[in-house]
Amino acid sequence: MVRKLFAVFAFSAFALLPAVAQPKPAAKSYVLKAARMFDGKSNQLLTPGYLVVTDGKIVGVGTGANAPADAEVIELGDATLLPGFIDAHTHLTLMYSEDYAKAALDGLRKPIPEMALDSSVNARVTLLAGFTTVRDVGSSEYLDAGLRNAINRGVVPGPRMLIAVHAIGATGGHCDETGWREGALGRETGPEVGVVNGADEARRAVRLAHKYGATVIKTCATGGVLSLADAVDTPQLTQAELDALVDEAHALRLKTAAHAHGAEGAKRAIRAGIDSIEHGSFLDEEALSLMKQKGTYYVPTLMATQGLSEQIQKGVPIPPAIRVKADAAIASVHKTFQNAIAKNIKIGLGTDAGVYPHGRNAEEFHQMVDLGMKPVDALKAGTFNDADLLGLSDRIGTLEAGKLADVVAVPGDPIQNIRQTEHVFFVMKEGVIYKNQKPD
């Protein structure tokens, strides 16, 4: 009874406190001018680029749009305006490291506040690289929830974040802590940290993640490259577990994503109604056909294998168990991606940021183009497609009147040279300018 009374009084006291003011877009107008514009949905660039922004939203597109008399005009010159980029697979709270043993030790030694400060740096460099929205698909200690909240309150600069709180997987699988002796990390893991056995536990894990702030549910349907106790392509959740997980998430109106390298685990996730398959290194013909049939998105995270390839080339000492799996994934994922293009699978842009250094996210565009994707389709993957995948297409992903003013600018023409996406010099998120460094 005492506890109940305390809870009532505490809630009443909280309710009487003044609400914490959420940051509002700058209450002013801008006219953004550039030589050209990619609106996120067309198959070619539009000329010239002309946007009118008021109070954080796009209110006019094209030279016929009316601009307020007091609007600030920003001339960006020989550049292309694009929707703010979206990365559908990041780990902003994961620090990139080329020392596997030190990274594991840091995870045990670093105070959580220090980890949070580190994460805020990753968020800033990601935003300044032109990524105004990310789907963050796996964290720990609620670091992603804290970072998301701090960004939303304007405490630190960063992209808009959809968060998973933690990924959900099987005991001993890729989403579990493996490679340690029994008891070294305390009691055995369970649904509270996303480790499940059985359909009921899968539902409970989804509910707990949602309770503590998840806005997307991420699961590990197969083994992984960077985990120590599993093969990369083995299925790790039963059909019943995945069915329950996806059903519960969709009932809560949450989108779902499945880490899935192997074909069998991916097919179980696709049959369950998963919204996207991440990585997909060893997807077979049947898996791709199922994805086409159900409209499942493929997020290939080509920068993850690029980061691992660079480590191998530099002679970074990689644990042997991980090296074998990395070699196999690197050898297979490029062909899988090309097969997905040939089948006209829906493809989103995601990078697995944290497996490579944060801030290089835009290199995913050229990775896609180098493997045969048309430049305009790569741009759509990182804007229009990702907005659809994230369930945010009514707010972001295109440059249209009524959408949030998430706008970036790159030099020249990214259709002619996709690597111009790696040289973002102007970043606006919800009408607030975070970067404006026009090239000389």
Side-chain angles (χ1 to χ4, degrees):
M1 183 64 180
V2 173
R3 288 181 64 188
K4 287 183 178 179
L5 285 172
F6 176 78
V8 170
F9 290 142
F11 180 80
S12 300
F14 176 78
L16 292 172
L17 292 173
V20 177
Q22 294 294 313
K24 292 184 178 180
K28 64 179 297 183
S29 295
Y30 296 95
V31 175
L32 307 180
K33 294 183 177 182
R36 58 195 74 82
M37 177 175 72
F38 173 66
D39 64 6
K41 57 183 182 178
S42 302
N43 289 323
Q44 65 279 322
L45 301 184
L46 307 176
T47 56
Y50 189 97
L51 292 176
V52 181
V53 173
T54 298
D55 292 348
K57 288 190 174 182
I58 299 170
V59 297
V61 180
T63 53
N66 292 322
D70 62 349
E72 178 182 344
V73 178
I74 300 179
E75 297 275 2
L76 298 170
D78 184 22
T80 301
L81 298 173
L82 305 99
F85 298 150
I86 304 169
D87 190 332
H89 192 118
T90 66
H91 300 280
L92 292 185
T93 62
L94 175 66
M95 300 305 297
Y96 174 75
S97 175
E98 295 181 358
D99 187 328
Y100 285 76
K102 183 178 184 300
L105 194 58
D106 280 349
L108 297 174
R109 280 181 167 173
K110 274 189 180 182
I112 294 172
E114 183 179 354
M115 295 180 185
L117 289 169
D118 288 344
S119 301
S120 71
V121 176
N122 297 336
R124 181 178 183 275
V125 299
T126 301
L127 176 63
L128 296 184
F131 287 80
T132 53
T133 303
V134 302
R135 185 177 63 166
D136 209 68
V137 287
S139 184
S140 63
E141 308 294 350
Y142 302 101
L143 287 165
D144 57 350
L147 180 60
R148 182 267 314 272
N149 295 347
I151 291 170
N152 287 350
R153 291 191 296 113
V155 175
V156 296
R160 182 180 301 103
M161 292 179 68
L162 274 69
I163 64 165
V165 175
H166 46 239
I168 299 172
T171 296
H174 182 65
C175 290
D176 195 4
E177 292 283 356
T178 59
W180 305 91
R181 66 169 174 79
E182 191 277 329
L185 300 181
R187 65 185 182 85
E188 194 58 73
T189 48
E192 297 82 2
V193 291
V195 180
V196 304
N197 296 280
D200 287 345
E201 286 196 352
R203 286 188 186 277
R204 181 163 185 254
V206 170
R207 291 170 180 173
L208 284 168
H210 178 244
K211 176 180 179 179
Y212 292 111
T215 47
V216 63
I217 297 299
K218 154 66 174 312
T219 188
C220 293
T222 77
V225 173
L226 298 179
S227 44
L228 289 167
D230 53 9
V232 68
D233 59 347
T234 52
Q236 292 188 344
L237 290 171
T238 66
Q239 189 66 61
E241 288 168 334
L242 285 164
D243 287 348
L245 181 147
V246 174
D247 179 69
E248 194 64 34
H250 285 173
L252 293 168
R253 298 178 184 168
L254 300 178
K255 295 273 193 167
T256 56
H259 160 107
H261 284 283
E264 177 55 34
K267 283 182 275 194
R268 293 179 189 179
I270 298 161
R271 292 186 188 108
I274 207 79
D275 294 294
S276 65
I277 294 294
E278 317 291 303
H279 315 305
S281 302
F282 309 104
L283 296 179
D284 60 17
E285 178 71 17
E286 182 185 8
L288 291 172
S289 294
L290 274 173
M291 292 174 74
K292 177 67 175 176
Q293 175 188 333
K294 288 182 170 287
T296 312
Y297 267 94
Y298 177 36
V299 181
T301 64
L302 300 170
M303 277 302 293
T305 49
Q306 176 63 24
L308 287 168
S309 296
E310 291 174 4
Q311 290 187 15
I312 291 168
Q313 291 168 6
K314 288 193 290 186
V316 171
I318 299 172
I322 291 176
R323 175 62 189 271
V324 170
K325 295 190 288 184
D327 287 340
I330 291 167
S332 181
V333 70
H334 289 177
K335 183 62 177 175
T336 300
F337 178 71
Q338 291 171 328
N339 290 341
I341 294 174
K343 271 194 167 294
N344 200 27
I345 304 294
K346 293 197 291 187
I347 295 176
L349 183 146
T351 70
D352 219 357
V355 176
Y356 66 90
H358 294 277
R360 292 176 55 187
N361 312 57
E363 292 180 40
E364 187 81 13
F365 287 112
H366 94 78
Q367 295 284 337
M368 290 177 157
V369 172
D370 289 353
L371 291 172
M373 181 176 268
K374 295 177 182 177
V376 71
D377 289 337
L379 293 176
K380 286 182 181 179
T383 54
F384 179 88
N385 288 8
D386 272 354
D388 179 54
L389 170 60
L390 272 56
L392 297 175
S393 57
D394 60 331
R395 301 173 62 201
I396 61 173
T398 57
L399 300 180
E400 296 179 272
K403 296 289 183 74
L404 295 177
D406 287 7
V407 187
V408 301
V410 303
D413 181 345
I415 299 293
Q416 297 301 316
N417 178 7
I418 194 64
R419 300 205 71 159
Q420 296 288 38
T421 55
E422 298 163 35
H423 303 289
V424 170
F425 69 88
F426 177 88
V427 178
M428 172 182 280
K429 177 189 164 196
E430 289 192 43
V432 177
I433 297 171
Y434 290 89
K435 185 178 185 180
N436 187 7
Q437 299 174 346
K438 186 177 175 182
D440 294 332

